[in-house]
């Protein structure tokens, strides 16, 4: 179908112009809409990505806060128990701490230390290392330096107990406890397994390369999902188009930081561009096909009108264009039909006028031939009468009567070949009586041509020309041969003589020259040739071959037409 449409489209044709114009406009509109849609989609996707990342950070922050809050509550419960207990050496207190330890598997250690770092009680059965120096531990010092405040340490390896190496986040606080009658200060330690915080963060995903990390107030890493160091400069965007979201964790001043790459969060802009390009290409082809069909429907009446005009250019005027399509095309079709009608009318008028003109020319030519022949014949009769050849005069006048009877032919211009031969035979009888032994003649006519229709009085002027201009001035006896037959489907007359002949220059002038032929030779020949061509067309007429002192042969070509028409003066 696509190939067929392409073949019907011609450059600069109305269908081509409509198809290309509307396709270009439509495709441009589709491209514009695609560009706007892509820009808007990218903007919305980036906003959604930012919102999604923010929601993810909020959720992680909430989970961490919830978890830390539960640890704080545990710490508060133990602190209240220590503070209200009259004696630190209390089995119930120890049992309570141990119970909490056993019920919360995310707690690695619960321990109480004096202000100089001596262990008072611990849920761990192992002893402190001899060189542990608890009072120099950062979590211990932070608790002592921030009275009545909770502190959370960065993840670290808790190795103060023998045979223990736990990766923990330590919650430490200053507490007051009673030892007999003394109220002393100490440090309560709750070690939380770091794996819990890691699990809260590591199950999140932000694209292919995005990640979440947690730092404390001093930008010490608390959680880092990457194996290599990360860039914590939030203003540094050297890694690409980053979307950074930060949230502060309550109780700790920790910061949950999410790093997302917008190029990934927009669902791959290249895929979107490819999809839009495919849509544009598909739309362009579909639009082209639809508009091609519509333009073909619109331009079809105009193409039909164009085809009709080409036929008129080729000379075919019997055409009628059906008026259909849009109003303008209908008006053009009606105007075209009206124009063709007027052209046909004018052509008929021209044919009538030309026919009338042609008939007038034929009549004028006929008028030139008949007086010329009559003058020559009467001249011969007078000469014979003066010579006292009465019997010859009778024969000649009888032949002349037959000659004129055929010439008149009841006003017809067309007679049979047999009548035309009879006419020239009577003429030869007259001329033979005049010239005596000056020439002889021979007539040969095939039986098949006798009843064919022919233009009359075409042989006599040629024979007359042979006698007057070819044989009359010869010393030897002249010979005239006349024949009629069918050749190449045409009627062919041949008139031959052995007269003086015609030189090539005059021979060329006889049939082709428009002016007057000097010396009178060739007038009859030229008139016969013009009559034949005016009657039958340019493909018919005379062919002349002549050689000086040898003779002349004239071939007369006519159409092969059967029967005799009664139509007058066609």
């Amino acid at each position: 179908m696509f190939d067929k449409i392409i073949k019907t489209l011609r450059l600069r044709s109305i269908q081509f112009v409509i198809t290309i114009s509307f396709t270009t406009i439509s495709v441009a509109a589709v491209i514009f809409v695609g560009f706007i849609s892509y820009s808007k989609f990218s903007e919305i996707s980036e906003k959604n990505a930012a919102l999604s990342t923010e929601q993810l950070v909020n959720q992680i922050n909430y989970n961490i806060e919830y978890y830390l809050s539960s640890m704080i509550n545990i710490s508060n419960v133990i602190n209240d128990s220590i503070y209200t207990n009259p004696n630190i050496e209390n089995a119930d207190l120890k049992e309570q701490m141990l119970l909490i330890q056993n019920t919360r598997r995310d707690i690695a250690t619960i321990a109480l230390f004096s202000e100089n770092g001596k262990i008072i009680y611990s849920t761990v059965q192992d002893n402190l290392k001899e060189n542990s120096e608890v009072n120099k531990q950062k979590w211990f010092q932070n608790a002592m330096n921030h009275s009545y405040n909770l502190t959370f340490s960065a993840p670290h390896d808790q190795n103060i107990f023998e045979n223990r190496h736990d990766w923990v986040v330590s919650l430490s606080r200053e507490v007051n406890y009673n030892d007999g009658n003394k109220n002393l200060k100490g440090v309560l330690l709750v070690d939380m397994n770091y794996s819990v915080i890691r699990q809260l963060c590591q199950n999140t995903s932000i694209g292919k390369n995005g990640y979440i990390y947690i730092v404390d107030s001093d930008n010490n890493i608390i959680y880092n999902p990457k194996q290599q160091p990360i860039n914590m400069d939030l203003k540094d965007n050297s890694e690409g188009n980053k979307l950074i979201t930060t949230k502060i964790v309550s109780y700790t001043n920790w910061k949950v930081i999410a790093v997302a790459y917008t190029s990934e969060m927009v669902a791959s802009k290249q895929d979107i561009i490819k999809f839009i390009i495919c849509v544009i290409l598909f739309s362009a082809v579909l639009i082209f096909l639809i508009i091609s069909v519509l333009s073909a429907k619109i331009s079809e009446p105009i193409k039909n009108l164009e085809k009709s005009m080409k036929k008129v250019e080729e000379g075919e005027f019997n055409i009628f264009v059906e008026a259909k399509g849009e109003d303008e095309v209908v008006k053009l079709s009606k105007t075209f039909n009206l124009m063709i009608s007027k052209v046909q009318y004018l052509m008929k008028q021209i044919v009538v006028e030309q026919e009338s003109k042609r008939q007038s020319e034929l009549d004028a030519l006929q008028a030139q031939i008949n007086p010329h022949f009559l003058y020559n014949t009467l001249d011969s009769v007078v000469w014979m009468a003066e010579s006292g050849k009465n019997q010859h005069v009778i024969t000649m006048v009888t032949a002349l009567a037959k000659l004129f009877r055929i010439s008149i032919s009841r006003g017809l211009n067309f007679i049979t070949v047999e009548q035309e031969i009879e006419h020239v035979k009577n003429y030869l009888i007259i001329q033979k009586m005049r010239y005596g032994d000056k020439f002889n003649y021979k007539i040969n006519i095939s039986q098949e041509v006798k009843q064919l229709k022919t233009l009359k009085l075409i042989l006599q002027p040629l024979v007359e020309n042979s006698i007057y201009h070819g044989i009359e001035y010869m010393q030897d006896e002249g010979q005239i041969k006349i024949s009629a037959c069918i050749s190449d489907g045409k009627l062919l007359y041949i008139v031959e003589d052995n007269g003086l002949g015609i030189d090539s220059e005059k021979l060329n002038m006889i049939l082709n020259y428009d002016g007057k032929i000097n010396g009178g030779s060739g007038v009859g020949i030229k008139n016969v040739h013009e009559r034949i061509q005016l009657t039958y067309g340019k493909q018919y007429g005379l062919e002349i071959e002549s050689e000086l002192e040898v003779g002349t042969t004239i071939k007369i070509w006519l159409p092969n037409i059967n029967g005799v028409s009664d139509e007058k003066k066609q």
Side-chain angles (χ1 to χ4, degrees):
M1 179 181 178
F2 189 80
D3 293 339
K4 185 177 180 181
I5 290 174
I6 291 296
K7 290 180 180 179
T8 60
L9 294 177
R10 293 182 290 108
L11 291 178
R12 302 184 67 181
S13 67
I14 187 171
Q15 183 181 357
F16 179 82
V17 172
I18 292 174
T19 301
I20 296 301
S21 299
F22 280 90
T23 300
T24 302
I25 293 172
S26 301
V27 171
V30 171
I31 293 174
F32 177 76
V33 171
F35 175 77
I36 296 299
S37 299
Y38 171 75
S39 301
K40 193 66 176 176
F41 180 80
S42 297
E43 180 183 353
I44 293 174
S45 296
E46 290 178 2
K47 289 181 179 180
N48 290 338
L51 180 60
S52 177
T53 302
E54 184 178 0
Q55 290 174 345
L56 183 61
V57 170
N58 288 337
Q59 182 62 42
I60 293 175
N61 182 71
Y62 173 78
N63 292 338
I64 294 175
E65 287 182 349
Y66 182 81
Y67 177 70
L68 296 179
S69 175
S70 67
M71 291 297 104
I72 292 171
N73 290 333
I74 291 173
S75 174
N76 289 336
V77 169
I78 297 173
N79 181 52
D80 290 343
S81 298
I82 293 172
Y83 182 76
T84 58
N85 202 301
N87 191 351
I88 194 63
E89 294 295 334
N90 187 293
D92 292 338
L93 178 60
K94 295 178 180 179
E95 184 179 354
Q96 182 184 17
M97 295 173 64
L98 188 58
L99 178 62
I100 293 173
Q101 167 76 38
N102 292 332
T103 56
R104 293 292 298 262
R105 296 183 178 279
D106 54 335
I107 297 177
T109 303
I110 301 177
L112 178 64
F113 298 90
S114 65
E115 61 183 347
N116 57 7
K118 183 181 179 182
I119 190 165
I120 298 173
Y121 179 77
S122 172
T123 57
V124 178
Q125 301 299 321
D126 299 319
N127 296 322
L128 284 175
K129 292 180 180 179
E130 292 182 359
N131 58 348
S132 61
E133 298 180 336
V134 174
N135 58 343
K136 293 182 179 180
Q137 296 288 326
K138 189 173 182 180
W139 54 266
F140 188 93
Q141 293 177 352
N142 286 339
M144 295 302 294
N145 294 332
H146 297 83
S147 300
Y148 307 109
N149 287 325
L150 296 167
T151 61
F152 289 88
S153 71
H156 64 98
D157 181 15
Q158 189 65 281
N159 59 355
I160 61 176
F161 296 99
E162 292 180 353
N163 303 320
R164 294 289 296 266
H165 290 277
D166 297 319
W167 192 256
V168 296
V169 174
S170 297
L171 184 158
S172 59
R173 65 189 296 174
E174 184 186 76
V175 296
N176 294 318
Y177 64 93
N178 297 312
D179 186 9
N181 296 324
K182 297 178 182 179
N183 187 269
L184 303 175
K185 290 183 179 181
V187 174
L188 176 63
L189 173 67
V190 179
D191 282 337
M192 300 172 289
N193 286 325
Y194 177 73
S195 59
V196 175
I197 295 177
R198 185 172 61 243
Q199 288 174 0
L200 292 175
C201 300
Q202 71 180 5
N203 292 329
T204 59
S205 175
I206 306 177
K208 183 178 180 181
N209 297 315
Y211 54 92
I212 289 178
Y213 65 97
I214 303 173
V215 297
D216 61 14
S217 58
D218 297 325
N219 285 335
N220 296 314
I221 294 291
I222 295 176
Y223 169 74
N224 177 12
K226 307 178 76 174
Q227 299 300 321
Q228 67 273 18
I230 60 175
N231 180 13
M232 292 186 293
D233 185 359
L234 303 183
K235 295 182 179 179
D236 183 8
N237 196 24
S238 60
E239 295 183 34
N241 188 17
K242 294 190 294 187
L243 178 64
I244 299 174
T245 306
T246 304
K247 190 73 174 178
I248 303 297
V249 180
S250 300
Y251 317 115
T252 63
N253 288 327
W254 291 356
K255 288 181 285 189
V256 179
I257 302 172
V259 178
Y261 292 90
T262 56
S263 58
E264 295 179 357
M265 299 305 294
V266 179
S268 180
K269 291 184 179 180
Q270 291 184 349
D271 292 340
I272 297 172
I273 292 174
K274 290 179 182 178
F275 175 75
I276 290 177
I277 290 175
C278 291
V279 171
I280 290 174
L281 292 176
F282 175 77
S283 300
V285 173
L286 183 62
I287 290 170
F288 177 79
L289 294 176
I290 293 174
I291 293 179
S292 296
V293 174
L294 292 177
S295 62
K297 184 177 181 182
I298 293 173
S299 61
E300 182 180 2
I302 299 177
K303 287 184 177 180
N304 292 335
L305 188 59
E306 179 191 17
K307 292 178 182 178
S308 300
M309 288 181 177
K310 285 186 177 180
K311 290 182 179 180
V312 171
E313 289 179 1
E314 295 170 357
E316 184 179 348
F317 291 93
N318 190 21
I319 293 175
F320 178 81
V321 177
E322 184 179 358
K324 62 179 182 179
E326 287 68 27
D327 291 343
E328 293 81 358
V329 179
V330 170
K331 290 180 181 178
L332 281 174
S333 300
K334 290 181 178 180
T335 303
F336 177 80
N337 291 332
L338 180 61
M339 179 191 70
I340 294 300
S341 299
K342 289 185 178 180
V343 169
Q344 289 176 333
Y345 173 76
L346 292 175
M347 289 179 64
K348 289 179 181 179
Q349 289 295 104
I350 292 173
V351 169
V352 172
E353 292 175 1
Q354 290 296 321
E355 184 67 22
S356 177
K357 179 181 177 182
R358 184 174 68 88
Q359 189 61 49
S360 299
E361 291 174 348
L362 286 173
D363 292 342
L365 288 172
Q366 183 66 47
Q368 290 179 11
I369 293 173
N370 288 339
H372 182 69
F373 163 71
L374 181 60
Y375 170 79
N376 290 328
T377 302
L378 292 177
D379 182 61
S380 298
V381 172
V382 171
W383 175 79
M384 294 181 70
E386 290 176 349
S387 301
K389 298 179 180 180
N390 296 330
Q391 186 59 39
H392 288 178
V393 169
I394 293 171
T395 302
M396 185 176 291
V397 170
T398 301
L400 182 62
K402 292 180 180 180
L403 188 82
F404 273 98
R405 184 174 68 249
I406 296 174
S407 298
I408 295 171
S409 301
R410 295 176 297 174
L412 297 176
N413 280 332
F414 299 95
I415 57 178
T416 62
V417 172
E418 186 177 18
Q419 289 173 323
E420 178 66 14
I421 295 297
E422 180 68 20
H423 178 271
V424 75
K425 182 179 179 180
N426 287 317
Y427 174 77
L428 286 169
I429 289 173
I430 294 171
Q431 295 291 51
K432 175 67 177 173
M433 294 185 65
R434 177 183 175 187
Y435 286 98
D437 296 332
K438 188 67 177 177
F439 71 90
N440 284 316
Y441 63 88
K442 183 178 180 181
I443 298 175
N444 183 22
I445 175 174
S446 63
Q447 189 66 28
E448 61 180 347
V449 303
K450 286 186 177 181
Q451 297 304 315
L452 295 181
K453 184 169 68 173
T454 181
L455 186 66
K456 70 180 180 181
L457 303 183
I458 56 175
L459 293 178
Q460 181 268 328
L462 304 183
V463 172
E464 179 181 352
N465 193 77
S466 295
I467 295 173
Y468 282 113
H469 302 289
I471 295 175
E472 185 174 1
Y473 302 104
M474 288 176 57
Q475 297 297 324
D476 299 327
E477 183 182 53
Q479 295 290 333
I480 297 175
K481 297 180 181 179
I482 300 173
S483 62
C485 63
I486 298 295
S487 178
D488 295 332
K490 299 178 182 178
L491 172 61
L492 174 63
Y493 289 114
I494 300 177
V495 178
E496 301 177 75
D497 67 66
N498 62 344
L500 298 177
I502 307 172
D503 64 73
S504 58
E505 182 179 355
K506 181 177 290 186
L507 182 64
N508 185 59
M509 292 177 61
I510 288 176
L511 298 181
N512 299 321
Y513 184 60
D514 292 333
K516 183 178 179 181
I517 301 174
N518 294 330
S521 177
V523 173
I525 296 175
K526 182 174 178 62
N527 284 343
V528 170
H529 181 67
E530 289 181 352
R531 285 180 64 208
I532 292 173
Q533 289 199 334
L534 283 171
T535 301
Y536 299 114
K538 296 295 183 179
Q539 67 270 36
Y540 301 101
L542 274 58
E543 293 179 7
I544 304 176
E545 297 177 1
S546 183
E547 185 178 350
L548 292 176
E549 305 300 332
V550 175
T552 302
T553 300
I554 301 176
K555 294 181 180 181
I556 306 100
W557 294 95
L558 299 176
N560 184 353
I561 303 175
N562 290 316
V564 181
S565 174
D566 292 333
E567 185 180 5
K568 297 184 179 183
K569 298 185 179 182
Q570 295 187 24

